[in-house]
Amino acid sequence: MTNFIYNLFAYPSAWLTAVFHDAAIASANGGELWILLVPRPIHVTPECCGFNFFVLLGCYTLLFILRRYPRPCAGPAVLLALPVVYVTTICANAVRMTCAYHVACLSRTLFPACFQPVIHMAVGIAVFLSALILSHLLIERIGLYGK
């Protein structure tokens, strides 16, 4: 199951990140991806696939749909919302990979190596939290916010 989730979320995000940077993608032993950038490649690990964000955004969207629509109409609305949540997750994850790469390149000259994991985590939090806030504003704007 983990390999399926990795393939479903990491490959499209890595491909989109590679398109942003006009770079190639290589697969290593075990199927993990590398985005071949100069001066440093990006290693896309299973933790980088963005599945947790998908679950969070999916539950968040589901909550708003269930509050807005009566139960018989909620099913089709959920089925329409799931692809939007998936595409949003892939785009947000690709932006996170891109931002994390560039911030890491800059922060290596400013901070010691022990700060790098914290900086990487902070970039992920900033990008995913921004995506959640923008998603909320969009849902509110198009009228899916509770009655």
Side-chain angles (χ1 to χ4, degrees):
M1 184 67 165
T2 305
N3 203 16
F4 173 74
I5 291 172
Y6 181 78
N7 291 340
L8 188 64
F9 288 94
Y11 276 82
S13 297
W15 177 81
L16 195 54
T17 303
V19 168
F20 285 160
H21 290 97
D22 193 28
I25 298 176
S27 183
N29 296 353
E32 290 187 0
L33 295 173
W34 287 84
I35 302 170
L36 305 175
L37 293 172
V38 175
R40 304 175 71 90
I42 299 174
H43 182 205
V44 183
T45 64
E47 292 79 21
C48 295
C49 74
F51 180 71
N52 293 337
F53 179 75
F54 174 76
V55 171
L56 183 64
L57 185 60
C59 290
Y60 186 75
T61 305
L62 178 66
L63 174 71
F64 282 115
I65 288 172
L66 291 177
R67 289 179 64 199
R68 174 75 168 112
Y69 295 107
R71 298 290 185 240
C73 299
V78 168
L79 291 177
L80 289 174
L82 276 177
V84 173
V85 169
Y86 176 75
V87 169
T88 303
T89 300
I90 297 304
C91 292
N93 199 30
V95 169
R96 181 194 60 81
M97 288 180 194
T98 300
C99 290
Y101 173 76
H102 290 290
V103 168
C105 289
L106 290 172
S107 68
R108 281 188 176 90
T109 59
L110 301 173
F111 298 103
C114 62
F115 286 162
Q116 297 308 313
V118 174
I119 292 169
H120 185 81
M121 180 74 71
V123 169
I125 290 169
V127 170
F128 283 146
L129 184 59
S130 299
L132 280 174
I133 290 169
L134 287 173
S135 297
H136 170 75
L137 292 174
L138 183 63
I139 288 170
E140 188 177 88
R141 181 78 169 159
I142 62 173
L144 292 179
Y145 195 77
K147 294 177 183 177

